[in-house]
Amino acid sequence: MTFTESIKICFSKYVDFNGRASRSEYWWFMLFLVLGTVAAGVVSNKLSGLFTLATLLPSIAVAARRLHDTDRSGWWQLLGFIPVLGWIIEIYFLIQEPKEPNRFGSAPASQALPET
């Protein structure tokens, strides 16, 4: 998956918490969020906050789908509220290989790009 495909998929599934997301889809989208936040912050702090607010739901949704790909519930994201140790565990979960078979659906590599 490419950088632009990841962004398109994540925004087309704006609040879709079902299914699975590949590692590349998740990490490309996270790179987009970091770059977008930094670029908006250079222009204005208010713009950076607005960008973060606008991308909050898609980032939570793609993280839930990524956790589904490792056969975990999206609720594991709540570990992020535990400083340091929670973040380390959450990142460990997000970088793991996909689990097959999986209760959350077919592997993301077999999913085509949504029609526009």
Side-chain angles (χ1 to χ4, degrees):
M1 173 165 302
T2 66
F3 182 73
T4 55
E5 286 174 340
S6 172
I7 295 167
K8 287 179 186 177
I9 288 174
C10 289
F11 279 119
S12 69
K13 295 180 175 183
Y14 196 84
V15 289
D16 184 6
F17 295 88
N18 299 314
R20 296 165 63 175
S22 66
R23 278 192 291 185
S24 60
E25 177 182 343
Y26 176 77
W27 290 110
W28 280 124
F29 191 67
M30 289 300 113
L31 177 63
F32 165 73
L33 293 178
V34 168
L35 295 175
T37 303
V38 168
V42 167
V43 174
S44 161
N45 284 338
K46 288 181 183 180
L47 184 60
S48 177
L50 187 62
F51 178 80
T52 302
L53 185 61
T55 57
L56 179 64
L57 285 176
S59 65
I60 294 170
V62 74
R65 292 193 312 270
R66 176 69 200 123
L67 287 168
H68 289 173
D69 196 37
T70 63
D71 205 23
R72 289 185 177 82
S73 169
W75 288 103
W76 281 102
Q77 291 181 76
L78 295 176
L79 282 174
F81 288 114
I82 302 171
V84 185
L85 182 61
W87 304 333
I88 292 169
I89 294 169
E90 188 173 352
I91 290 171
Y92 174 75
F93 286 166
L94 292 168
I95 63 172
Q96 286 186 327
E97 293 282 332
K99 301 274 196 277
E100 293 295 338
N102 194 312
R103 61 188 162 140
F104 293 103
S106 62
S110 64
Q111 297 173 353
L113 285 173
E115 295 294 322
T116 55

